Amino acid sequence: ALCTQVKTYVEPLQATLEYHHDGYAAAMASGDSSQALINTLLNCIGSFFAGSNLQRMRDRFADAIKSSAERKQLNYMLQAQQVQHSVSKLIGAGEELNYSSEGRNILASNSSVVRSFHYQTAYVSFMFRSYD
C-alpha cells in the first residue's frame, strides 16, 4: 500500500484511501504489524488531507498513536502526534504537544521526523497566518 502514494497523482485522494484498508488487512493477515501500522498512519494522513471530519480524525489519530506506542514504533508515533496537533489546532482545541524524553531524543536526532515536524509546523502557521 506504500505505492498508493503514486496513485494519488492518478486518482482522487479519497479513492486511494481504500488501498490502505486493503494493505492493513493484508499486513494483519500475514502478521506484519509494522506494515499494518504504516497503512493505518497513511490512511489517517490521507484522510486528513482529503478533508475528513476533524473530530473523527482526532480520534483516529489518537488510536494510531496508541497503537504506535504499544508497538514501540516511536518515529511513527511522533509523526502521528504532529498531524494530530494540526487537527487539534484546526478544531480550535489548542492542545499542546508533550513529547516523552524518548520522543525529544528522536526529534533531536532523526532527520525524517524533524522534517515532518517542520512541515506540520509550517502547515499550521500557513493555515492560521501565524508566522513566528
Side-chain angles (χ1 to χ4, degrees):
L2 292 175
C3 295
T4 301
Q5 305 305 64
V6 175
K7 284 202 172 281
T8 61
Y9 291 99
V10 178
E11 299 179 24
L13 183 57
Q14 296 87 342
T16 65
L17 296 175
E18 69 186 67
Y19 297 113
H20 292 301
H21 292 291
D22 297 342
Y24 174 84
M28 289 305 286
S30 68
D32 189 348
S33 63
S34 182
Q35 283 296 320
L37 181 59
I38 290 169
N39 275 286
T40 298
L41 291 174
L42 290 174
N43 190 333
C44 286
I45 292 168
S47 296
F48 170 63
F49 286 113
S52 293
N53 178 282
L54 292 175
Q55 285 80 9
R56 187 168 158 236
M57 291 310 310
R58 181 175 51 186
D59 296 340
R60 289 182 62 197
F61 273 107
D63 292 341
I65 290 165
K66 181 181 174 190
S67 180
S68 299
E70 290 169 354
R71 290 173 174 78
K72 305 285 188 222
Q73 299 286 333
L74 298 179
N75 289 356
Y76 297 132
M77 183 183 78
L78 290 171
Q79 290 177 337
Q81 284 176 325
Q82 292 161 6
V83 182
Q84 185 188 41
H85 179 66
S86 297
V87 171
S88 293
K89 292 281 277 190
L90 289 169
I91 291 172
E95 300 165 2
E96 291 301 317
L97 287 170
N98 294 317
Y99 295 115
S100 65
S101 61
E102 293 170 320
R104 287 189 295 276
N105 289 340
I106 291 171
L107 276 170
S109 63
N110 187 308
S111 62
S112 176
V113 175
V114 170
R115 203 171 304 121
S116 175
F117 174 79
H118 289 303
Y119 174 82
Q120 286 302 322
T121 301
Y123 178 76
V124 170
S125 296
F126 173 77
M127 293 299 291
F128 288 98
R129 309 290 193 257
S130 164
Y131 309 106
D132 46 331

